[in-house]
């Protein structure tokens, strides 16, 4: 069944996600801060470009959003031109930004003042997952509300699940990032060691990837790391933003995350080496840099 929906934030992720909603027959009103990108989107898809989040959200049953961080999310939701001001009571705001759980709860409470339902739904799967409509979506919100938006999320997801109330999607994404940080650092150290030991690192990976050391990172990034190529998606600047939310949440809930905290510092070294836009597997670079000294 076709629905009236909106999409705010047509970045690397949001642009193709909004495209899948349109391709599935939904009527999509879009907003992007840089208007030329919204113009580009409507030249490629059925839809309407709007000048503010509020005007994009007007009349829609469900408003999707995918912007950068907590502050960006507040910018596009609150105030006279924010999405909440345009949304009708009973409609649902679905946020795909990776944010803090704190801001999800804060905006959930704010939305409730307008009679709007709020769902936090960060994604994993990267640019390729968004472009192929194969994202994994981790969701927090009321059960009935999450069920209500599930068929729409299916347009761009291969896996979606509700993990609890508002904030639970962001907390689950934090678990995801903790796993990735430790795994990538382990792989970077392993490749560095193999090289220093005079082994053929590519051959070593071919062998050990068939055993217990195997990981998604090993299967998808080891070869590009060995080649010194770090242009494969999720950027170090984004990862530091995410680890910032992880470490803030850990301070609140009493978790001890020594490896995540350390890897966050290694990523700051990558930034200092000019690699803020390199992908997360660039943890190999500071190791090689130190070895060269
Ligand atoms: N890229 C990935 O591989 C990936 C994977 C998983 C999760 N994520 C998460 O998904 C989110 C979006 O990532 P992305 O890669 O799509 O980022 P991006 O390409 O930089 O896009 C960010 C979008 O947010 C908009 N925006 C940012 N600040 C804004 C503000 N203050 N007011 C209005 N609009 C604003 C940008 O508008 P402009 O066009 O005007 O700049 C753009 O449309 C992030 O939270 C990221 O951590 C990304």
């Amino acid at each position: 069944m076709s629905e009236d929906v909106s999409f705010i934030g047509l970045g690397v992720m949001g642009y193709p996600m909004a495209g899948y909603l349109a391709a599935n027959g939904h009527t999509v009103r879009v907003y992007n801060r840089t208007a030329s990108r919204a113009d580009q989107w409507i030249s490629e898809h059925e839809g309407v470009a709007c000048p503010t989040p509020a005007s994009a959200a007007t009349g829609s049953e469900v408003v999707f959003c995918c912007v950068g961080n907590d502050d960006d999310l507040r910018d596009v939701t609150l105030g006279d031109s924010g999405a909440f001001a345009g949304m009708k009571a009973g409609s649902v705001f679905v946020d795909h930004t990776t944010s803090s759980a704190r801001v999800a709860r804060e905006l959930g409470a704010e939305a409730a003042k307008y009679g709007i339902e709020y769902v936090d739904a960060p994604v994993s799967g990267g640019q390729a997952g968004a472009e192929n409509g194969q994202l994994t979506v981790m969701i927090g919100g009321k059960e009935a509300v999450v069920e209500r938006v599930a068929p729409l999320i299916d347009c761009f997801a291969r896996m979606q699940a509700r993990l609890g109330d508002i904030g639970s999607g962001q907390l689950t994404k934090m678990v995801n990032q903790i796993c990735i940080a430790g795994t990538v650092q382990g792989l970077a150290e392993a490749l560095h060691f193999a090289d220093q030991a005079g082994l053929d690192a590519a051959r070593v990976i071919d062998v050990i990837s068939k055993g217990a050391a195997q990981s998604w990172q090993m299967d998808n990034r080891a070869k590009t790391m060995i080649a010194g190529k770090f242009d494969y998606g999720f950027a170090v600047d984004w990862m530091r933003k995410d680890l910032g939310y992880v470490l803030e949440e850990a301070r609140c809930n009493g978790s001890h995350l020594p490896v995540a905290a350390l890897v966050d510092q290694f990523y700051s070294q990558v930034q200092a080496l000019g690699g803020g836009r390199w992908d997360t597997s660039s943890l190999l670079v500071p190791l090689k840099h130190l070895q060269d000294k």
Side-chain angles (χ1 to χ4, degrees):
M1 197 178 65
S2 170
E3 294 212 58
D4 290 337
V5 301
S6 309
F7 210 107
I8 295 167
L10 302 173
V12 166
M13 302 299 281
Y15 194 102
M17 291 163 82
Y20 276 103
L21 288 166
N24 278 270
H26 302 293
T27 305
V28 191
R29 294 168 68 81
V30 296
Y31 164 79
N32 197 67
R33 179 179 57 182
T34 305
S36 55
R37 193 147 166 95
D39 293 340
Q40 187 189 336
W41 192 90
I42 56 164
S43 74
E44 292 174 13
H45 305 92
E46 283 287 324
V48 181
C50 302
T52 63
S55 56
T58 301
S60 286
E61 303 296 330
V62 181
V63 176
F64 293 88
C65 174
C66 190
V67 292
N69 60 27
D70 283 16
D71 288 341
D72 303 334
L73 198 45
R74 290 191 185 96
D75 282 350
V76 298
T77 52
L78 304 176
D80 290 345
S81 60
F84 293 170
M87 290 174 71
K88 57 186 176 190
S91 59
V92 187
F93 187 86
V94 179
D95 179 43
H96 292 296
T97 310
T98 303
S99 75
S100 67
R102 181 172 43 79
V103 85
R105 292 185 204 107
E106 173 192 314
L107 292 177
E110 196 59 35
K113 294 180 192 164
Y114 294 80
I116 301 164
E117 301 290 351
Y118 190 97
V119 168
D120 61 303
V123 301
S124 130
Q127 181 172 354
E131 288 173 352
N132 298 326
Q134 297 282 304
L135 291 169
T136 295
V137 188
M138 300 151 264
I139 308 178
K142 290 180 197 157
E143 212 166 332
V145 178
V146 173
E147 270 173 30
R148 152 85 186 83
V149 296
L152 291 167
I153 292 177
D154 266 342
C155 295
F156 46 77
R158 76 166 165 198
M159 165 73 188
Q160 59 167 307
R162 175 185 178 270
L163 287 309
D165 292 331
I166 296 175
S168 306
Q170 297 300 346
L171 294 173
T172 304
K173 173 80 186 187
M174 291 177 201
V175 175
N176 187 74
Q177 301 306 66
I178 294 166
C179 292
I180 290 175
T183 307
V184 178
Q185 179 63 20
L187 181 58
E189 291 185 16
L191 291 174
H192 176 55
F193 176 90
D195 201 32
Q196 292 292 103
L199 293 167
D200 177 343
R203 178 98 185 90
V204 169
I205 293 299
D206 277 346
V207 173
I208 68 170
S209 62
K210 307 298 180 298
Q214 184 271 345
S215 65
W216 185 97
Q217 298 293 342
M218 185 177 281
D219 289 349
N220 291 278
R221 290 290 177 270
K223 281 198 174 68
T224 51
M225 289 166 80
I226 291 166
K229 292 183 178 162
F230 302 108
D231 190 23
Y232 291 89
F234 196 64
V236 166
D237 287 344
W238 276 146
M239 187 59 161
R240 284 217 77 204
K241 182 251 309 175
D242 293 2
L243 289 174
Y245 295 141
V246 166
L247 297 173
E248 173 193 318
E249 191 66 38
R251 273 192 296 277
C252 295
N253 71 18
S255 308
H256 298 277
L257 304 181
V259 172
L262 196 55
V263 175
D264 178 54
Q265 290 303 296
F266 295 147
Y267 277 125
S268 83
Q269 293 175 345
V270 176
Q271 286 175 317
L273 291 167
R277 301 303 298 172
W278 297 345
D279 75 53
T280 47
S281 71
S282 56
L283 284 171
L284 185 58
V285 176
L287 295 173
K288 287 204 170 291
H289 194 75
L290 286 172
Q291 160 234 310
D292 287 340
K293 297 274 159 183

